[in-house]
Amino acid sequence: MVRTFAVIGDPIDHSLSPAMHNAAFLEARMDCTYIAYRVPRGEVPEGLDSLRAAGIEGFNVTIPHKVAVMEHLDSVSEECSLIGAANLVHDRGGRRRGFNTDMEGFLGPLLSRNVPLPGCRVLLLGAGGAARAGASGLAARGASHIHICNRNVEKARSLAEHCSRMGVSSSSGPLPSYVEAGFDLVVNATSVGMNGGPSPADMGRVSPGVVAYDMVYRPVRTSFLEQAEDAGAVIIPGWEMLLHQAALSFSILHDREAPVQTMKRALVGVFE
Ligand code: ATR
């Protein structure tokens, strides 16, 4: 019987996860399929029941359910509990276990570029689920200070407190109109810039050599990245994080190494 996997979220029509996972199944000759399944906000319990009834034993979770799904899990991984959000669930033997591959997925492109994280001064734009995973990863890797800016300042303050509890010096404030010098790494973890549009903050004044990392993956070159590159920054596009978290999800779901190059070709192919 074909085994079915899924990604749940809302909106979900444009998810790139089915393309990556289905390409991996084909490459690995696995009799599996991966679908996008819309679960509206507030309907997580019903959505999870439907997945179980359909025999779906593993699924990714995306906006807006990463935090909400937590209260419907029987157990969680260490990362999941640290971050307070799940982006992957195993549903086996009537028990659901949550994982979070966003944190490692976020760190992957930084580590592969040898960006020095211990002692790093970070400006993090955004304070949602993705920002939480990024902040936790940076805190765990020894960043020296994380300044968190968000439209909703209360959420920024709460994430800064989370970083402080992890032992990292942190501060918070509103989104600035432009990013000042004095940071080694600037991360856009807001959804601003998705499908075009302006950068959440002007990147034109960052110092050359700063690393600018956008979690937004569509378009590939966002205004945030273009402004940063023009100012001499090293840029990291969001599709790299997407690919890393998907490969890690694949290896957890199927207990085997992910065909990363195949998944990358499927992902990049969607952009072309
Ligand atoms: P994710 O799981 O991707 O982090 P999320 O939890 O919904 O999604 O978080 C979205 C982030 O983008 C938040 O930081 C949000 O800011 P608020 O907390 O103030 O809502 C930010 N964001 C979304 N739309 C925005 C906008 N138009 N201007 C500024 N920030 C925005």
Side-chain angles (χ1 to χ4, degrees):
M1 200 178 81
V2 179
R3 293 163 67 208
T4 305
F5 299 86
V7 55
I8 64 165
D10 189 19
I12 202 68
D13 306 355
H14 295 105
S15 170
L16 301 172
S17 294
M20 286 188 285
H21 287 268
N22 284 319
F25 294 150
L26 205 62
E27 169 74 20
R29 297 175 188 279
M30 293 165 67
D31 201 9
C32 300
T33 186
Y34 188 106
I35 60 166
Y37 182 64
R38 187 170 84 90
V39 174
R41 190 183 287 272
E43 294 185 19
V44 170
E46 295 83 354
L48 296 196
D49 286 349
S50 309
L51 292 174
R52 187 172 272 177
I56 291 176
E57 58 187 279
F59 53 93
N60 283 106
V61 181
T62 188
I63 297 172
H65 303 313
K66 289 180 184 178
V67 175
V69 78
M70 292 288 281
E71 59 187 274
H72 305 285
L73 304 175
D74 299 295
S75 66
V76 293
S77 72
E78 204 178 309
E79 285 90 357
C80 201
S81 127
L82 176 74
I83 299 162
N87 75 326
L88 177 65
V89 177
H90 250 176
D91 187 0
R92 290 188 185 156
R95 294 182 65 76
R96 295 190 184 100
R97 180 167 173 78
F99 301 85
N100 192 307
T101 66
D102 279 340
M103 185 172 100
E104 286 300 318
F106 169 75
L107 289 173
L110 291 165
L111 299 176
S112 67
R113 284 174 172 80
N114 293 317
V115 174
L117 296 179
C120 185
R121 297 162 303 168
V122 182
L123 173 63
L124 179 62
L125 307 175
R132 227 177 148 76
S136 303
L138 293 167
R141 290 281 173 164
S144 72
H145 185 87
I146 306 180
H147 183 60
I148 299 156
C149 297
N150 197 45
R151 178 176 62 179
N152 176 333
V153 184
E154 185 48 40
K155 275 169 69 182
R157 201 175 59 77
S158 153
L159 184 51
E161 280 171 7
H162 168 78
C163 293
S164 300
R165 281 195 297 275
M166 284 187 72
V168 183
S169 148
S170 58
S171 51
S172 61
L175 278 176
S177 52
Y178 67 91
V179 173
E180 295 179 44
F183 297 102
D184 305 305
L185 169 64
V186 183
V187 180
N188 176 30
T190 73
S191 48
V192 180
M194 188 63 107
N195 298 318
S199 172
D202 191 321
M203 292 290 285
R205 301 186 207 181
V206 297
S207 315
V210 160
V211 178
Y213 190 161
D214 202 343
M215 291 196 191
V216 170
Y217 52 81
R218 203 195 283 255
V220 172
R221 287 180 64 80
T222 56
S223 303
F224 172 90
L225 292 177
E226 277 185 350
Q227 289 171 2
E229 192 166 49
D230 288 348
V234 173
I235 60 167
I236 305 182
W239 67 263
E240 292 193 22
M241 173 176 172
L242 190 68
L243 176 64
H244 268 83
Q245 68 75 28
L248 208 55
S249 292
F250 182 98
S251 60
I252 294 172
L253 280 175
H254 308 294
D255 201 18
R256 60 192 285 175
E257 214 172 295
V260 182
Q261 288 312 318
T262 299
M263 294 174 86
K264 179 178 171 182
R265 275 198 299 278
L267 176 62
V268 173
V270 174
F271 294 129
E272 282 169 358

